[in-house]
Amino acid sequence: MGNRNKRNRKVFKALILGILFCILCLGSVSVTVRAGEGACIIDAEMLPSDKSAYEVQLTVENQGQDWEGTVRLTIAENYYSGSYGSASTCAYDTLLSLPSGSTKQFVVKVPKDSMKRTDGMVKITLLDKNGEITAQKEFNRLLQAQAKALSMGILSDEYSSLTYLDMGGNELYYKGNNYPVKLVELNQDNLTSTLDALSFLVIDNYNTSVLSAQTIERMEQWLDNGGVLIIGTGSDARDVLSGLPDLDIQYSKIYDQEEDKYDSYGYTYVDISQLPMAELVDKNNKYEETYGVLALACPWGDGAVGVLPYSLYELGDMDASYYVGYSQEEFIENILWQVSDYSASHYGSGRYSNNYSDARYTFNRFCRLLGNGSNRLQFGGLKIIVILYVIFVGPVLYLILRFAKKRDLYWIAVPAATLVGVLLVYVAGRGFEVKGTNVFSTTVEELSGKGNVQTYLRCYDAGHKEWDLRLAEGYEYAGPLEENYYRSNDEETYYHHIKKEGDRLFFGVDPSTGFEDCYFLAGISREPEEGIISCDLQADGQYDIKGTVTNGTMRDFKYFALIVNGNLFVYKDLPAGADINLKRAEKVFDDNTGYYNGAESYFYNFISDIQRRDKKKDVDVLTALGIGISYLYTLEDPDMTAVIGVCEDWDKAVDDNCNEVSYGCLYAVQ
């Protein structure tokens, strides 16, 4: 019995030691995993840049073992307030070797025209050689540090209670783009000196009777020039409206909380029973009531005015439960959007047209059209060959053999006919150049050398597999062309790929089908083109011009265009070093249709007509010119005089195995 107990004690001790050993092993593994997760420290910050790309400076410190792999930057755009939309369709990869104890710092450039919004999440991921995640860190709204913003001035005695008007960083759709809102605190002393820098001015909880007549006059000039004024009233309606009689708005009563006032105000996105409300009187019937936010709004010159029956200061004290179907950020966005929609400078419901938005849309249409004029992928001949083969190998071949009394040779004749058909298809298809990747590129460059030189590329590959191409030397950044990609991806799958190896960039896609179109832009730093383009023009009647144009460059222009006070004229042929009198130039198009956007008229009334009439000889070079023309219209200078010429056989944008057709657009604004 004693020996048995001793044996049991030994077994028990061995079991305990085994369990302790397993625990220690598991603890060791756990510690190793935690150490691995903290071995790399990631940091990111925005660098100031006036170029066409956001510059994100990444710092990676390795506190663990030697590491080699990929640093990936992705951006999830915030399409809906309060939540992030689908994951980024583009991965910006940098190949990196990081010895133990080392720190490396480098810059990733993201094209501004690749981004619709900048209020999304920037994610930095370290992937080892096997594609496994080593470390990861997220940075909320990182790009907004360098994004162009709308300035909103706040004139109030309760400024600190109105800082929520920046919508928590959410962006406002304005003038065809999305912008964050930056707040500026105003007072009686700095109001007039700050107005020109503002897009919006909010007056709330402030006695305007203290403002001088000169200040009020200056505010009205600002409104005439496109400013948007929003006034909150509520329980402070008397003081807020006291110094603004020219608005033609009075109040007749202040409704306290819980008072019955629903007969006066329609459907709203907030529970108005919880707010003091002013009964506003539109003396001259020039205001309209906006839907859901209760603003009385009207145009004022090129700007707009909106008067609210409640105070934004008092609204800010309400918690989220008072908003009906909307968050506070979305409610403020609705106020800004609906009031600014009455201004001539805001692109909204179509009450006013906007040159920038129309030109940007047309620009993207031209990019999608580039390369469609090529005849290399016209499969009409192949279809005829296939149809004839099907007919021949069936009843026709049988009848021929039957007539020749050789029906027993049918089993030999069919494979032979098939072989002949395959050979015919192969010979006919060789000229289509479907092997490899096809690229059509247009580079737009200002001759002053001040601007960034950007190249726009339409690409496709015949195969259904991932591909990438190396850009030529000098290209500093690349990315997908904004508004030309709509694919939704899961978190770890990316359609577009930008990869940097050393000082060279690669771009590519992971297509879902063969011949899938994709669109990129890339920026290059190089010595500007030599020479100048100039013109000496005068009006000739209401819809024409006369004068001379000089091409002082070393490039021949297949076509050139003139934009004068918003009107567009397109001519043919201007050789290098030559000048031409417009009376002797061959005009191929002019914009006399009344279109505000000449690029849109050029697209619909000229390029589309060429396609319909199947005159495809020059459709690609004219489309490339259209990219340059629509780009100039996005500059939003209706009074500019610009000359732009298009060149064939431009410098290749891709230094890799592909079929590239390249064009260049040189322009000058004077």
Side-chain angles (χ1 to χ4, degrees):
M1 177 69 69
N3 291 334
R4 184 183 301 171
N5 289 334
K6 287 181 180 179
R7 285 197 299 269
N8 289 338
R9 284 196 295 270
K10 288 181 179 179
V11 171
F12 181 74
K13 288 180 180 179
L15 181 62
I16 293 297
L17 289 172
I19 293 173
L20 289 173
F21 179 77
C22 290
I23 291 173
L24 288 172
C25 290
L26 290 174
S28 174
V29 171
S30 177
V31 170
T32 301
V33 171
R34 287 197 295 268
E37 289 176 348
C40 290
I41 299 175
I42 303 170
D43 194 17
E45 64 174 313
M46 296 298 298
L47 298 181
S49 174
D50 57 357
K51 295 184 179 180
S52 298
Y54 296 109
E55 298 189 6
V56 186
Q57 180 174 275
L58 301 183
T59 304
V60 183
E61 180 182 351
N62 183 10
Q63 296 181 345
Q65 298 178 351
D66 293 350
W67 182 87
E68 187 174 353
T70 299
V71 180
R72 172 168 294 173
L73 182 149
T74 57
I75 304 167
E77 293 195 27
N78 184 13
Y79 289 104
Y80 305 101
S81 297
S83 64
Y84 288 96
S86 60
S88 169
T89 64
C90 186
Y92 297 87
D93 291 345
T94 303
L95 301 186
L96 192 67
S97 176
L98 203 62
S100 177
S102 65
T103 300
K104 290 193 177 179
Q105 195 172 74
F106 56 96
V107 174
V108 177
K109 297 183 179 181
V110 179
K112 294 179 180 179
D113 284 345
S114 290
M115 304 300 303
K116 289 184 175 70
R117 310 176 65 100
T118 59
D119 54 353
M121 182 80 72
V122 175
K123 181 189 294 185
I124 311 300
T125 306
L126 271 59
L127 303 169
D128 62 21
K129 288 184 176 181
N130 298 320
E132 299 295 328
I133 297 177
T134 301
Q136 192 172 77
K137 190 172 182 179
E138 294 179 343
F139 299 85
N140 191 23
R141 295 190 170 97
L142 180 68
L143 298 184
Q144 281 194 343
Q146 291 299 320
K148 182 179 179 181
L150 300 173
S151 291
M152 175 190 290
I154 307 292
L155 184 63
S156 174
D157 292 331
E158 297 289 344
Y159 173 80
S160 60
S161 299
L162 292 170
T163 54
Y164 74 95
L165 295 181
D166 68 356
M167 302 180 295
N170 290 346
E171 296 187 350
L172 178 70
Y173 186 76
Y174 188 75
K175 291 188 177 182
N177 250 329
N178 297 286
Y179 299 98
V181 175
K182 179 181 178 181
L183 302 184
V184 180
E185 185 175 5
L186 300 177
N187 53 48
Q188 187 176 355
D189 296 327
N190 68 0
L191 174 58
T192 55
S193 61
T194 310
L195 274 175
D196 286 339
L198 302 179
S199 297
F200 294 90
L201 171 60
V202 174
I203 302 177
D204 192 277
N205 192 246
Y206 188 84
N207 190 335
T208 58
S209 64
V210 302
L211 300 177
S212 66
Q214 292 81 6
T215 299
I216 298 297
E217 182 181 0
R218 182 68 185 85
M219 287 173 53
E220 293 178 354
Q221 291 174 354
W222 172 78
L223 280 169
D224 287 335
N225 293 331
V228 177
L229 173 63
I230 297 175
I231 298 172
T233 59
S235 57
D236 297 312
R238 179 192 300 274
D239 289 342
V240 173
L241 296 174
S242 61
L244 305 172
D246 290 344
L247 294 181
D248 292 332
I249 287 285
Q250 293 179 341
Y251 81 98
S252 60
K253 181 180 179 181
I254 304 295
Y255 294 94
D256 293 329
Q257 296 180 19
E258 305 295 344
E259 262 192 82
D260 182 13
K261 48 186 173 289
Y262 294 100
D263 291 339
S264 301
Y265 298 111
Y267 178 76
T268 177
Y269 297 136
V270 292
D271 183 1
I272 57 177
S273 67
Q274 304 298 316
L275 283 173
M277 303 281 284
E279 180 75 56
L280 299 177
V281 179
D282 177 11
K283 295 194 299 182
N284 293 314
N285 294 319
K286 67 179 183 180
Y287 290 84
E288 297 178 7
E289 184 175 313
T290 61
Y291 178 77
V293 298
L294 302 184
L296 294 180
C298 71
W300 188 300
D302 286 340
V305 174
V307 184
L308 308 173
Y310 47 87
S311 166
L312 292 170
Y313 157 64
E314 293 166 336
L315 179 68
D317 290 336
M318 297 172 63
D319 61 39
S321 64
Y322 295 121
Y323 294 88
V324 183
Y326 279 76
S327 66
Q328 184 183 71
E329 292 81 9
E330 290 172 309
F331 184 73
I332 297 304
E333 182 178 353
N334 265 304
I335 293 175
L336 300 179
W337 196 89
Q338 291 195 43
V339 174
S340 64
D341 190 30
Y342 283 80
S343 68
S345 59
H346 175 251
Y347 177 76
S349 63
R351 186 176 291 109
Y352 299 100
S353 63
N354 177 265
N355 189 34
Y356 175 85
S357 182
D358 292 343
R360 192 70 201 178
Y361 174 76
T362 308
F363 174 86
N364 283 281
R365 292 291 301 271
F366 277 117
C367 290
R368 290 195 291 270
L369 183 63
L370 186 65
N372 288 347
S374 172
N375 61 7
R376 281 177 287 178
L377 290 175
Q378 304 302 316
F379 291 105
L382 287 179
K383 291 178 182 177
I384 294 174
I385 292 174
V386 172
I387 292 171
L388 291 176
Y389 162 74
V390 172
I391 295 173
F392 177 79
V393 85
V396 174
L397 180 59
Y398 177 79
L399 291 174
I400 292 174
L401 293 175
R402 180 182 177 185
F403 179 78
K405 297 181 180 181
K406 300 290 184 181
R407 283 182 295 178
D408 54 334
L409 297 178
Y410 188 75
W411 66 277
I412 298 176
V414 169
T418 301
L419 180 60
V420 172
V422 170
L423 288 174
L424 286 173
V425 170
Y426 174 75
V427 172
R430 288 188 68 186
F432 294 160
E433 296 186 24
V434 295
K435 293 174 61 178
T437 309
N438 291 267
V439 176
F440 297 88
S441 65
T442 299
T443 299
V444 180
E445 178 176 350
E446 184 180 8
L447 277 178
S448 68
K450 297 178 181 178
N452 298 298
V453 182
Q454 290 202 146
T455 300
Y456 305 94
L457 306 102
R458 172 183 174 242
C459 319
Y460 58 83
D461 192 279
H464 177 197
K465 61 181 180 180
E466 186 175 353
W467 57 263
D468 62 15
L469 296 171
R470 183 174 63 178
L471 284 166
E473 289 186 4
Y475 278 95
E476 296 183 327
Y477 61 85
L481 184 60
E482 174 257 320
E483 293 181 7
N484 270 321
Y485 62 97
Y486 302 97
R487 180 182 300 194
S488 177
N489 296 90
D490 61 56
E491 190 173 359
E492 303 301 335
T493 304
Y494 304 100
Y495 176 47
H496 299 85
H497 297 268
I498 307 298
K499 181 175 63 177
K500 187 171 185 180
E501 293 188 41
D503 60 350
R504 300 298 290 274
L505 284 175
F506 293 76
F507 71 98
V509 296
D510 184 7
S512 59
T513 61
F515 293 103
E516 183 170 357
D517 287 339
C518 60
Y519 305 87
F520 286 90
L521 61 90
I524 187 171
S525 176
R526 65 180 183 192
E527 291 296 321
E529 282 286 321
E530 296 182 3
I532 61 170
I533 307 174
S534 61
C535 60
D536 182 13
L537 306 174
Q538 305 88 37
D540 187 11
Q542 185 176 1
Y543 296 112
D544 209 351
I545 54 174
K546 60 183 179 180
T548 59
V549 179
T550 300
N551 177 8
T553 74
M554 301 176 67
R555 305 273 191 170
D556 293 330
F557 296 158
K558 185 70 176 288
Y559 292 89
F560 68 97
L562 301 171
I563 301 176
V564 183
N565 296 326
N567 296 315
L568 175 66
F569 308 88
V570 181
Y571 302 85
K572 189 173 183 179
D573 290 328
L574 183 56
D579 57 11
I580 190 169
N581 190 306
L582 294 180
K583 288 185 178 180
R584 296 191 296 272
E586 181 182 348
K587 184 192 293 184
V588 297
F589 173 80
D590 61 28
D591 174 31
N592 56 7
T593 62
Y595 275 76
Y596 181 51
N597 182 341
E600 184 180 358
S601 176
Y602 178 75
F603 183 89
Y604 289 107
N605 297 325
F606 183 57
I607 299 294
S608 296
D609 188 51
I610 291 176
Q611 286 187 304
R612 284 194 299 269
R613 290 185 279 117
D614 201 28
K615 293 183 178 179
K616 296 189 175 182
K617 179 181 178 182
D618 286 339
V619 68
D620 277 343
V621 67
L622 287 167
T623 298
L625 179 62
I627 290 175
I629 290 171
S630 52
Y631 174 83
L632 284 173
Y633 275 95
T634 64
L635 300 181
E636 297 187 270
D637 184 1
D639 300 322
M640 73 176 171
T641 295
V643 188
I644 183 167
V646 63
C647 317
E648 296 180 298
D649 300 322
W650 190 259
D651 306 331
K652 299 295 185 184
V654 180
D655 181 17
D656 213 330
N657 183 25
C658 69
N659 307 304
E660 181 179 359
V661 179
S662 57
Y663 302 95
C665 287
L666 295 174
Y667 74 91
V669 178
Q670 61 184 53

